[in-house]
Amino acid sequence: MRTKVILALGAIGLPLLLRNLYVIMFLVPDDLEQGPVYRIFYYHLPAFLVAMCGYITAMAASVLYLVKRDQKYDTIAVAATETALAFAAVNLITGMIWGRISWGIWWAWDARLTWALISWLVYFGYLMLRNAIDDPTERAKNTAVYSIFASASVAVTWKAIEWWRTQHPGPVLSIRTGGVQRIDPAMENMLYINTLALLLLGAIFLLVRLRQEEVQREIDGLRRYAHALN
Amino acid sequence: MTALRHAAAIAAKDLRSEFRTKESINSTLSFSVVILLLFSFAFDPSPDMIAEFGGGLLWIVFAFAGALIVNRSFARELPNDCIDVLVSSPASGASLFLGKAVACFVLLFGIECICLPVFGVFYNVTWWRSLWELLGVLALGTWAMACVGTFFSALTVNLRLRELMLPMLMYPILIPALLSVMMLTNTLLTGQAMPSDFGVWLRLLIGFNIMFTTLSVYLAETILVR
C-alpha cells in the first residue's frame, strides 16, 4: 500500500517539479530590482516551509510517542527530522548563493540566517543523540524529549522574522503580510505551486525513510533474537 | 510544598557534597581564569574592543564553566548507582531536577562572581557601574544555563561520550539565552546608555527561562524514570 502511495506521489510530484523548473527558468519575468537571481527564491522559501513542516511533524510525533509509547511515532519523528534537515540545508545553501550575488557575501550574521542555522544545528544534535543511545526504548524516549526542546528553538526561529529588523528581506507572501501584495500575484502563485511540489517530494522522502527505519528496526529485533538464541 | 522541600534537600545535598570535595569548584574556577588569560593572548584587548564585545568574552568563559559544572550534576550520582536510589526515593523527578538545577545555579553564580573582578582587572573594565542590574542579568543567564544544562545532564548521563555530547546538545539550545545575556551584559559592563532593543533582549531572556524551566520540570520525570 505504501509503495503505491509513494508511486502516486512521485507520479504527481515529479512532473510538477519539472514543469515548475521550466516555468521558473523560462516563463516568469525577471524581478525589477534583483534581475534573474531572484528565481532562486522559488526554491529558497518553499524549502524553508517544507523544513518547517518536517520540524512540526517531528515535534507532534515526539509528543505522541511520549503519550502513547508506540515505536511508530518514534519512527515518524526520525524520518521527519531527517527530511526537514535536508530541506533546511537547501534553504540555507540557496540563501547563501542569493546572498553572495545580492549582498556580495556568502554569509551575514543576520538574525534570521543565524536562527535558521541554529535550528539546523539543534536538529542535527537530535540525530547525534540518537546515534549515541543503543537501547531502542531509551533512545526513543530521550530523543522525543530532545525533539520537544528543539521545537521550542524552531518556534523562536519562526517568530524571529518579526522580532528583529534585519537586512534579510521581509515577509512577501500575502498570507504573512495581512493581505498586502508585496510581489506580483503570478509570482506568489508560482511560489505556492512550487511549495506544493517540494511538499510532495518531502512526503516521498519521509515515506521512503519510514520504510528504511522500519526495516532497520526489524533487522535489529532479529539480531537480538539470534543473539539470545546463541 | 513537599516537592519544594525535597528540591531544597537535594540542592543542599549536592552543595554540601561539592563544598566537601571541591572537585568541580576548583577545576572550573582555575579553568575560567585560564580561559580569561588565553583571550588576552588571542588579541590585544583595547578599551574600545572590550566595550564592543566584553560581555561576549565573559559569557564564553561562563558557558565553558557551566558545561563543566552541569556535567557533574548527574554524573556524580553514577558511582554505587546513587542515581537509582534518588529516582526511587519519595522525591519526584521534578523535585530532583529542580534541586540539582538550583545547586548548579549556586555554584555557577559563585564562580561568575569571582571571575567578574578578575575580568575587570585583566581587561581594565569598570564593571560595577550598574552592579545590581548586572547581577540580575547574570542571575537570569546563569539560571538558563543551569536549567537547560542540568536537564541535558540527566539526558546524557548514561551515554558513552557524555562529556562531548552534553555541550554539543546544550549550546545550540542555549544560543537564544546566551545571545541575549551577552548583549545585556555588554551594555551593563561598559555603562553605555541603554539601547532601544535592551527590553527586547531582556524579554527574550526571561521568556526563554520561563519556557525551558516549565518544559524541564514537566519532562524531568520522563527522563529520569527508566
Side-chain angles (χ1 to χ4, degrees), chain B residues 63-96:
Chain B
F64 287 162
L68 289 181
I69 292 278
V70 296
N71 200 17
R72 292 289 307 145
S73 181
F74 277 90
R76 73 159 58 90
E77 311 294 355
L78 283 177
N80 303 319
D81 294 329
C82 293
I83 194 159
D84 293 336
V85 178
L86 279 175
V87 170
S88 55
S89 72
S92 65
S95 303
L96 188 50

PDB file of all heavy atoms in Angstrom, chain B residues 63-96:
ATOM      1  N   ALA B  63      30.042  30.054  29.829  1.00  0.00           N
ATOM      2  CA  ALA B  63      29.416  28.908  29.145  1.00  0.00           C
ATOM      3  C   ALA B  63      30.307  27.667  29.258  1.00  0.00           C
ATOM      4  O   ALA B  63      29.810  26.561  29.502  1.00  0.00           O
ATOM      5  CB  ALA B  63      29.158  29.244  27.678  1.00  0.00           C
ATOM      6  N   PHE B  64      31.626  27.857  29.113  1.00  0.00           N
ATOM      7  CA  PHE B  64      32.555  26.727  29.281  1.00  0.00           C
ATOM      8  C   PHE B  64      32.496  26.212  30.726  1.00  0.00           C
ATOM      9  O   PHE B  64      32.427  25.008  30.967  1.00  0.00           O
ATOM     10  CB  PHE B  64      33.987  27.144  28.945  1.00  0.00           C
ATOM     11  CG  PHE B  64      34.254  27.336  27.471  1.00  0.00           C
ATOM     12  CD1 PHE B  64      35.356  28.048  27.027  1.00  0.00           C
ATOM     13  CD2 PHE B  64      33.397  26.800  26.524  1.00  0.00           C
ATOM     14  CE1 PHE B  64      35.595  28.226  25.675  1.00  0.00           C
ATOM     15  CE2 PHE B  64      33.630  26.976  25.164  1.00  0.00           C
ATOM     16  CZ  PHE B  64      34.734  27.696  24.744  1.00  0.00           C
ATOM     17  N   ALA B  65      32.514  27.169  31.646  1.00  0.00           N
ATOM     18  CA  ALA B  65      32.469  26.790  33.065  1.00  0.00           C
ATOM     19  C   ALA B  65      31.161  26.061  33.372  1.00  0.00           C
ATOM     20  O   ALA B  65      31.142  25.060  34.100  1.00  0.00           O
ATOM     21  CB  ALA B  65      32.602  28.040  33.936  1.00  0.00           C
ATOM     22  N   GLY B  66      30.070  26.569  32.780  1.00  0.00           N
ATOM     23  CA  GLY B  66      28.751  25.968  33.003  1.00  0.00           C
ATOM     24  C   GLY B  66      28.712  24.515  32.554  1.00  0.00           C
ATOM     25  O   GLY B  66      28.151  23.662  33.251  1.00  0.00           O
ATOM     26  N   ALA B  67      29.327  24.239  31.397  1.00  0.00           N
ATOM     27  CA  ALA B  67      29.328  22.854  30.882  1.00  0.00           C
ATOM     28  C   ALA B  67      30.043  21.931  31.871  1.00  0.00           C
ATOM     29  O   ALA B  67      29.606  20.798  32.094  1.00  0.00           O
ATOM     30  CB  ALA B  67      29.994  22.802  29.521  1.00  0.00           C
ATOM     31  N   LEU B  68      31.128  22.430  32.477  1.00  0.00           N
ATOM     32  CA  LEU B  68      31.865  21.599  33.454  1.00  0.00           C
ATOM     33  C   LEU B  68      31.028  21.328  34.692  1.00  0.00           C
ATOM     34  O   LEU B  68      30.987  20.212  35.206  1.00  0.00           O
ATOM     35  CB  LEU B  68      33.167  22.299  33.869  1.00  0.00           C
ATOM     36  CG  LEU B  68      34.286  22.390  32.839  1.00  0.00           C
ATOM     37  CD1 LEU B  68      35.490  23.092  33.425  1.00  0.00           C
ATOM     38  CD2 LEU B  68      34.681  21.001  32.363  1.00  0.00           C
ATOM     39  N   ILE B  69      30.354  22.382  35.160  1.00  0.00           N
ATOM     40  CA  ILE B  69      29.552  22.240  36.389  1.00  0.00           C
ATOM     41  C   ILE B  69      28.364  21.298  36.168  1.00  0.00           C
ATOM     42  O   ILE B  69      28.149  20.365  36.939  1.00  0.00           O
ATOM     43  CB  ILE B  69      29.044  23.633  36.864  1.00  0.00           C
ATOM     44  CG1 ILE B  69      30.202  24.509  37.350  1.00  0.00           C
ATOM     45  CG2 ILE B  69      27.955  23.509  37.918  1.00  0.00           C
ATOM     46  CD1 ILE B  69      30.669  24.263  38.748  1.00  0.00           C
ATOM     47  N   VAL B  70      27.598  21.550  35.091  1.00  0.00           N
ATOM     48  CA  VAL B  70      26.382  20.742  34.905  1.00  0.00           C
ATOM     49  C   VAL B  70      26.707  19.295  34.520  1.00  0.00           C
ATOM     50  O   VAL B  70      25.929  18.386  34.803  1.00  0.00           O
ATOM     51  CB  VAL B  70      25.391  21.359  33.880  1.00  0.00           C
ATOM     52  CG1 VAL B  70      24.872  22.687  34.358  1.00  0.00           C
ATOM     53  CG2 VAL B  70      26.008  21.476  32.507  1.00  0.00           C
ATOM     54  N   ASN B  71      27.858  19.109  33.909  1.00  0.00           N
ATOM     55  CA  ASN B  71      28.260  17.761  33.538  1.00  0.00           C
ATOM     56  C   ASN B  71      28.364  16.856  34.769  1.00  0.00           C
ATOM     57  O   ASN B  71      28.030  15.676  34.730  1.00  0.00           O
ATOM     58  CB  ASN B  71      29.595  17.822  32.804  1.00  0.00           C
ATOM     59  CG  ASN B  71      29.842  16.575  31.989  1.00  0.00           C
ATOM     60  OD1 ASN B  71      28.919  15.827  31.713  1.00  0.00           O
ATOM     61  ND2 ASN B  71      31.074  16.354  31.626  1.00  0.00           N
ATOM     62  N   ARG B  72      28.797  17.445  35.882  1.00  0.00           N
ATOM     63  CA  ARG B  72      28.970  16.669  37.120  1.00  0.00           C
ATOM     64  C   ARG B  72      27.643  16.461  37.849  1.00  0.00           C
ATOM     65  O   ARG B  72      27.555  15.628  38.734  1.00  0.00           O
ATOM     66  CB  ARG B  72      29.944  17.404  38.072  1.00  0.00           C
ATOM     67  CG  ARG B  72      31.368  17.467  37.612  1.00  0.00           C
ATOM     68  CD  ARG B  72      32.074  16.131  37.665  1.00  0.00           C
ATOM     69  NE  ARG B  72      31.982  15.505  38.981  1.00  0.00           N
ATOM     70  CZ  ARG B  72      31.890  14.204  39.182  1.00  0.00           C
ATOM     71  NH1 ARG B  72      31.896  13.386  38.167  1.00  0.00           N
ATOM     72  NH2 ARG B  72      31.803  13.717  40.406  1.00  0.00           N
ATOM     73  N   SER B  73      26.638  17.265  37.472  1.00  0.00           N
ATOM     74  CA  SER B  73      25.389  17.275  38.232  1.00  0.00           C
ATOM     75  C   SER B  73      24.801  15.874  38.420  1.00  0.00           C
ATOM     76  O   SER B  73      24.534  15.452  39.554  1.00  0.00           O
ATOM     77  CB  SER B  73      24.388  18.178  37.526  1.00  0.00           C
ATOM     78  OG  SER B  73      23.201  18.214  38.244  1.00  0.00           O
ATOM     79  N   PHE B  74      24.595  15.144  37.338  1.00  0.00           N
ATOM     80  CA  PHE B  74      24.055  13.785  37.457  1.00  0.00           C
ATOM     81  C   PHE B  74      25.157  12.736  37.431  1.00  0.00           C
ATOM     82  O   PHE B  74      24.984  11.643  37.967  1.00  0.00           O
ATOM     83  CB  PHE B  74      23.027  13.527  36.356  1.00  0.00           C
ATOM     84  CG  PHE B  74      21.666  14.052  36.707  1.00  0.00           C
ATOM     85  CD1 PHE B  74      21.300  15.338  36.379  1.00  0.00           C
ATOM     86  CD2 PHE B  74      20.767  13.269  37.413  1.00  0.00           C
ATOM     87  CE1 PHE B  74      20.056  15.843  36.729  1.00  0.00           C
ATOM     88  CE2 PHE B  74      19.518  13.761  37.768  1.00  0.00           C
ATOM     89  CZ  PHE B  74      19.170  15.052  37.425  1.00  0.00           C
ATOM     90  N   ALA B  75      26.305  13.111  36.823  1.00  0.00           N
ATOM     91  CA  ALA B  75      27.395  12.125  36.728  1.00  0.00           C
ATOM     92  C   ALA B  75      27.912  11.750  38.123  1.00  0.00           C
ATOM     93  O   ALA B  75      28.376  10.618  38.323  1.00  0.00           O
ATOM     94  CB  ALA B  75      28.526  12.695  35.883  1.00  0.00           C
ATOM     95  N   ARG B  76      27.816  12.675  39.083  1.00  0.00           N
ATOM     96  CA  ARG B  76      28.309  12.352  40.430  1.00  0.00           C
ATOM     97  C   ARG B  76      27.454  11.300  41.126  1.00  0.00           C
ATOM     98  O   ARG B  76      27.854  10.720  42.125  1.00  0.00           O
ATOM     99  CB  ARG B  76      28.433  13.604  41.305  1.00  0.00           C
ATOM    100  CG  ARG B  76      27.152  14.213  41.786  1.00  0.00           C
ATOM    101  CD  ARG B  76      27.393  15.079  43.024  1.00  0.00           C
ATOM    102  NE  ARG B  76      28.350  16.133  42.764  1.00  0.00           N
ATOM    103  CZ  ARG B  76      28.045  17.357  42.321  1.00  0.00           C
ATOM    104  NH1 ARG B  76      26.789  17.657  42.096  1.00  0.00           N
ATOM    105  NH2 ARG B  76      28.963  18.258  42.125  1.00  0.00           N
ATOM    106  N   GLU B  77      26.260  11.043  40.573  1.00  0.00           N
ATOM    107  CA  GLU B  77      25.371  10.030  41.163  1.00  0.00           C
ATOM    108  C   GLU B  77      25.583   8.647  40.544  1.00  0.00           C
ATOM    109  O   GLU B  77      24.917   7.695  40.918  1.00  0.00           O
ATOM    110  CB  GLU B  77      23.894  10.429  40.973  1.00  0.00           C
ATOM    111  CG  GLU B  77      23.545  11.844  41.370  1.00  0.00           C
ATOM    112  CD  GLU B  77      23.689  12.093  42.859  1.00  0.00           C
ATOM    113  OE1 GLU B  77      23.967  11.137  43.604  1.00  0.00           O
ATOM    114  OE2 GLU B  77      23.551  13.259  43.270  1.00  0.00           O
ATOM    115  N   LEU B  78      26.469   8.553  39.552  1.00  0.00           N
ATOM    116  CA  LEU B  78      26.656   7.261  38.880  1.00  0.00           C
ATOM    117  C   LEU B  78      27.354   6.206  39.747  1.00  0.00           C
ATOM    118  O   LEU B  78      26.912   5.055  39.790  1.00  0.00           O
ATOM    119  CB  LEU B  78      27.407   7.455  37.558  1.00  0.00           C
ATOM    120  CG  LEU B  78      26.576   8.013  36.392  1.00  0.00           C
ATOM    121  CD1 LEU B  78      27.440   8.220  35.169  1.00  0.00           C
ATOM    122  CD2 LEU B  78      25.410   7.095  36.058  1.00  0.00           C
ATOM    123  N   PRO B  79      28.457   6.570  40.466  1.00  0.00           N
ATOM    124  CA  PRO B  79      29.095   5.538  41.291  1.00  0.00           C
ATOM    125  C   PRO B  79      28.116   4.977  42.326  1.00  0.00           C
ATOM    126  O   PRO B  79      27.309   5.717  42.884  1.00  0.00           O
ATOM    127  CB  PRO B  79      30.249   6.284  41.976  1.00  0.00           C
ATOM    128  CG  PRO B  79      30.497   7.472  41.129  1.00  0.00           C
ATOM    129  CD  PRO B  79      29.192   7.838  40.530  1.00  0.00           C
ATOM    130  N   ASN B  80      28.185   3.697  42.559  1.00  0.00           N
ATOM    131  CA  ASN B  80      27.321   2.985  43.523  1.00  0.00           C
ATOM    132  C   ASN B  80      25.833   3.067  43.171  1.00  0.00           C
ATOM    133  O   ASN B  80      24.972   2.912  44.043  1.00  0.00           O
ATOM    134  CB  ASN B  80      27.535   3.519  44.947  1.00  0.00           C
ATOM    135  CG  ASN B  80      28.971   3.422  45.370  1.00  0.00           C
ATOM    136  OD1 ASN B  80      29.639   2.422  45.100  1.00  0.00           O
ATOM    137  ND2 ASN B  80      29.493   4.471  45.989  1.00  0.00           N
ATOM    138  N   ASP B  81      25.512   3.404  41.923  1.00  0.00           N
ATOM    139  CA  ASP B  81      24.116   3.513  41.465  1.00  0.00           C
ATOM    140  C   ASP B  81      23.279   4.464  42.317  1.00  0.00           C
ATOM    141  O   ASP B  81      22.094   4.223  42.560  1.00  0.00           O
ATOM    142  CB  ASP B  81      23.449   2.120  41.443  1.00  0.00           C
ATOM    143  CG  ASP B  81      24.072   1.214  40.399  1.00  0.00           C
ATOM    144  OD1 ASP B  81      24.531   1.757  39.368  1.00  0.00           O
ATOM    145  OD2 ASP B  81      24.127  -0.005  40.605  1.00  0.00           O
ATOM    146  N   CYS B  82      23.904   5.543  42.758  1.00  0.00           N
ATOM    147  CA  CYS B  82      23.166   6.513  43.585  1.00  0.00           C
ATOM    148  C   CYS B  82      21.973   7.105  42.834  1.00  0.00           C
ATOM    149  O   CYS B  82      20.959   7.464  43.442  1.00  0.00           O
ATOM    150  CB  CYS B  82      24.089   7.642  44.031  1.00  0.00           C
ATOM    151  SG  CYS B  82      25.353   7.078  45.153  1.00  0.00           S
ATOM    152  N   ILE B  83      22.113   7.196  41.513  1.00  0.00           N
ATOM    153  CA  ILE B  83      21.018   7.792  40.717  1.00  0.00           C
ATOM    154  C   ILE B  83      19.735   6.952  40.846  1.00  0.00           C
ATOM    155  O   ILE B  83      18.632   7.491  40.937  1.00  0.00           O
ATOM    156  CB  ILE B  83      21.463   7.973  39.245  1.00  0.00           C
ATOM    157  CG1 ILE B  83      20.476   8.891  38.535  1.00  0.00           C
ATOM    158  CG2 ILE B  83      21.613   6.674  38.490  1.00  0.00           C
ATOM    159  CD1 ILE B  83      21.025   9.547  37.299  1.00  0.00           C
ATOM    160  N   ASP B  84      19.893   5.613  40.906  1.00  0.00           N
ATOM    161  CA  ASP B  84      18.710   4.756  41.066  1.00  0.00           C
ATOM    162  C   ASP B  84      18.064   4.971  42.428  1.00  0.00           C
ATOM    163  O   ASP B  84      16.842   4.943  42.567  1.00  0.00           O
ATOM    164  CB  ASP B  84      19.105   3.281  40.890  1.00  0.00           C
ATOM    165  CG  ASP B  84      19.534   2.992  39.458  1.00  0.00           C
ATOM    166  OD1 ASP B  84      19.099   3.749  38.564  1.00  0.00           O
ATOM    167  OD2 ASP B  84      20.315   2.053  39.237  1.00  0.00           O
ATOM    168  N   VAL B  85      18.898   5.187  43.430  1.00  0.00           N
ATOM    169  CA  VAL B  85      18.378   5.432  44.784  1.00  0.00           C
ATOM    170  C   VAL B  85      17.592   6.739  44.791  1.00  0.00           C
ATOM    171  O   VAL B  85      16.491   6.824  45.352  1.00  0.00           O
ATOM    172  CB  VAL B  85      19.532   5.494  45.811  1.00  0.00           C
ATOM    173  CG1 VAL B  85      19.012   5.797  47.212  1.00  0.00           C
ATOM    174  CG2 VAL B  85      20.313   4.185  45.798  1.00  0.00           C
ATOM    175  N   LEU B  86      18.151   7.768  44.148  1.00  0.00           N
ATOM    176  CA  LEU B  86      17.470   9.073  44.104  1.00  0.00           C
ATOM    177  C   LEU B  86      16.142   8.965  43.363  1.00  0.00           C
ATOM    178  O   LEU B  86      15.128   9.511  43.809  1.00  0.00           O
ATOM    179  CB  LEU B  86      18.350  10.104  43.404  1.00  0.00           C
ATOM    180  CG  LEU B  86      19.458  10.750  44.233  1.00  0.00           C
ATOM    181  CD1 LEU B  86      20.300  11.659  43.358  1.00  0.00           C
ATOM    182  CD2 LEU B  86      18.884  11.543  45.389  1.00  0.00           C
ATOM    183  N   VAL B  87      16.156   8.243  42.243  1.00  0.00           N
ATOM    184  CA  VAL B  87      14.932   8.112  41.439  1.00  0.00           C
ATOM    185  C   VAL B  87      13.865   7.330  42.210  1.00  0.00           C
ATOM    186  O   VAL B  87      12.678   7.648  42.133  1.00  0.00           O
ATOM    187  CB  VAL B  87      15.249   7.433  40.077  1.00  0.00           C
ATOM    188  CG1 VAL B  87      13.977   7.060  39.324  1.00  0.00           C
ATOM    189  CG2 VAL B  87      16.095   8.356  39.215  1.00  0.00           C
ATOM    190  N   SER B  88      14.292   6.331  42.998  1.00  0.00           N
ATOM    191  CA  SER B  88      13.296   5.539  43.737  1.00  0.00           C
ATOM    192  C   SER B  88      12.935   6.167  45.087  1.00  0.00           C
ATOM    193  O   SER B  88      12.105   5.626  45.817  1.00  0.00           O
ATOM    194  CB  SER B  88      13.802   4.110  43.939  1.00  0.00           C
ATOM    195  OG  SER B  88      15.058   4.144  44.567  1.00  0.00           O
ATOM    196  N   SER B  89      13.521   7.299  45.408  1.00  0.00           N
ATOM    197  CA  SER B  89      13.183   7.988  46.670  1.00  0.00           C
ATOM    198  C   SER B  89      11.815   8.672  46.524  1.00  0.00           C
ATOM    199  O   SER B  89      11.301   8.792  45.413  1.00  0.00           O
ATOM    200  CB  SER B  89      14.259   9.029  46.979  1.00  0.00           C
ATOM    201  OG  SER B  89      14.135  10.114  46.095  1.00  0.00           O
ATOM    202  N   PRO B  90      11.225   9.134  47.645  1.00  0.00           N
ATOM    203  CA  PRO B  90       9.902   9.795  47.533  1.00  0.00           C
ATOM    204  C   PRO B  90       9.936  11.093  46.721  1.00  0.00           C
ATOM    205  O   PRO B  90       8.893  11.583  46.301  1.00  0.00           O
ATOM    206  CB  PRO B  90       9.530  10.089  48.989  1.00  0.00           C
ATOM    207  CG  PRO B  90      10.410   9.228  49.814  1.00  0.00           C
ATOM    208  CD  PRO B  90      11.661   8.989  49.041  1.00  0.00           C
ATOM    209  N   ALA B  91      11.126  11.651  46.504  1.00  0.00           N
ATOM    210  CA  ALA B  91      11.198  12.907  45.739  1.00  0.00           C
ATOM    211  C   ALA B  91      10.808  12.647  44.289  1.00  0.00           C
ATOM    212  O   ALA B  91      11.247  11.671  43.687  1.00  0.00           O
ATOM    213  CB  ALA B  91      12.618  13.465  45.804  1.00  0.00           C
ATOM    214  N   SER B  92       9.963  13.554  43.735  1.00  0.00           N
ATOM    215  CA  SER B  92       9.548  13.389  42.332  1.00  0.00           C
ATOM    216  C   SER B  92      10.699  13.766  41.403  1.00  0.00           C
ATOM    217  O   SER B  92      11.674  14.397  41.832  1.00  0.00           O
ATOM    218  CB  SER B  92       8.348  14.293  42.050  1.00  0.00           C
ATOM    219  OG  SER B  92       8.754  15.632  42.172  1.00  0.00           O
ATOM    220  N   GLY B  93      10.541  13.394  40.126  1.00  0.00           N
ATOM    221  CA  GLY B  93      11.553  13.752  39.138  1.00  0.00           C
ATOM    222  C   GLY B  93      11.734  15.261  39.051  1.00  0.00           C
ATOM    223  O   GLY B  93      12.856  15.761  38.917  1.00  0.00           O
ATOM    224  N   ALA B  94      10.615  15.989  39.135  1.00  0.00           N
ATOM    225  CA  ALA B  94      10.669  17.451  39.048  1.00  0.00           C
ATOM    226  C   ALA B  94      11.462  18.026  40.225  1.00  0.00           C
ATOM    227  O   ALA B  94      12.279  18.944  40.048  1.00  0.00           O
ATOM    228  CB  ALA B  94       9.260  18.015  39.030  1.00  0.00           C
ATOM    229  N   SER B  95      11.245  17.484  41.427  1.00  0.00           N
ATOM    230  CA  SER B  95      11.984  17.965  42.616  1.00  0.00           C
ATOM    231  C   SER B  95      13.469  17.670  42.467  1.00  0.00           C
ATOM    232  O   SER B  95      14.319  18.506  42.793  1.00  0.00           O
ATOM    233  CB  SER B  95      11.490  17.275  43.883  1.00  0.00           C
ATOM    234  OG  SER B  95      10.140  17.481  44.038  1.00  0.00           O
ATOM    235  N   LEU B  96      13.740  16.473  41.976  1.00  0.00           N
ATOM    236  CA  LEU B  96      15.128  16.057  41.788  1.00  0.00           C
ATOM    237  C   LEU B  96      15.821  17.004  40.806  1.00  0.00           C
ATOM    238  O   LEU B  96      16.930  17.498  41.058  1.00  0.00           O
ATOM    239  CB  LEU B  96      15.128  14.624  41.254  1.00  0.00           C
ATOM    240  CG  LEU B  96      16.440  13.868  41.137  1.00  0.00           C
ATOM    241  CD1 LEU B  96      17.218  13.938  42.418  1.00  0.00           C
ATOM    242  CD2 LEU B  96      16.160  12.416  40.768  1.00  0.00           C
TER     243      LEU B  96
END
